[in-house]
Amino acid sequence: MDVAYVGIGPALVAKAKGADIKVVASNIVEQVNVLAIGGLANYFDADKPDFAAAVARFTQEKGRKPMIASYPKSALPEAALQYWLRNVVKLPADAVELIYQGEAQIQQALSNHAVDAAAILEPTVSQILKRQPDAKVLAQGAQLFPNQPGAVLLVCESLIQSKPDPVQA
């Protein structure tokens, strides 16, 4: 295959395994959001967005860490969440309990209040906001991981070298 349109996760894995590819375009940028429901959402002050403070208050008052669902490890939503927690919010790794699930399981966990938050994509964000009056978006894609690509166009490096004009077009 000379050209492929895939998610950034598979592209990163392929490149890490030595694939002769280059990302030449991306779209669906900044698609991951962190959405909270119920208790955790109530600890978050939209006027002074301080996720670390909300987590600390929640943990102290509830006697447990907030549970945050995300896609399996290495998937873009999980990577964006990890980046945000470590580099933006600066939470210690053990401040929250991370749960790794698929899309349908995350939707169900949010709908049933089995988790306190999730790093998720559209259309799940809009669906949960519509169905759950206690849901709030705590961080949008640009806040989580600026310029995070969701889907990319990969081209083999050899094709770029041999036929640069069609690739550029």
Side-chain angles (χ1 to χ4, degrees):
M1 195 177 318
D2 292 322
V3 179
Y5 179 70
V6 298
I8 188 66
L12 292 171
V13 170
K15 186 68 174 175
K17 290 186 175 190
D20 178 36
I21 56 173
K22 182 174 183 175
V23 172
V24 298
S26 68
N27 68 355
I28 317 174
V29 177
E30 298 175 345
Q31 65 184 357
V32 181
N33 291 266
V34 173
L35 182 105
I37 57 166
L40 185 57
N42 295 332
Y43 287 89
F44 187 78
D45 182 357
D47 295 330
K48 297 180 219 164
D50 185 347
F51 187 74
V55 166
R57 285 194 322 273
F58 178 95
T59 301
Q60 182 178 7
E61 292 180 20
K62 299 284 186 184
R64 66 173 179 85
K65 300 174 198 177
M67 291 185 289
I68 303 177
S70 187
Y71 291 70
K73 289 184 179 185
S74 301
L76 176 65
E78 190 271 339
L81 175 64
Q82 292 285 0
Y83 178 88
W84 182 66
L85 291 172
R86 293 178 187 171
N87 299 304
V88 178
V89 178
K90 301 195 185 308
L91 273 181
D94 64 348
V96 297
E97 182 179 346
L98 298 178
I99 299 167
Y100 305 103
Q101 301 177 312
E103 176 75 23
Q105 292 82 12
I106 292 173
Q107 286 182 29
Q108 185 174 15
L110 285 167
S111 296
N112 296 334
H113 289 82
V115 296
D116 302 298
I120 53 175
L121 311 168
E122 286 292 355
T124 304
V125 175
S126 294
Q127 291 169 346
I128 296 296
L129 288 171
K130 186 176 181 180
R131 289 188 226 145
Q132 301 285 341
D134 61 347
K136 292 180 187 174
V137 173
L138 303 186
Q140 294 180 332
Q143 297 164 302
L144 241 61
F145 197 117
N147 300 312
Q148 57 173 287
V152 296
L153 185 65
L154 298 178
V155 178
C156 287
E157 295 269 2
S158 57
L159 182 63
I160 294 170
Q161 297 298 319
S162 66
K163 298 183 179 176
D165 293 337
V167 171
Q168 180 65 33

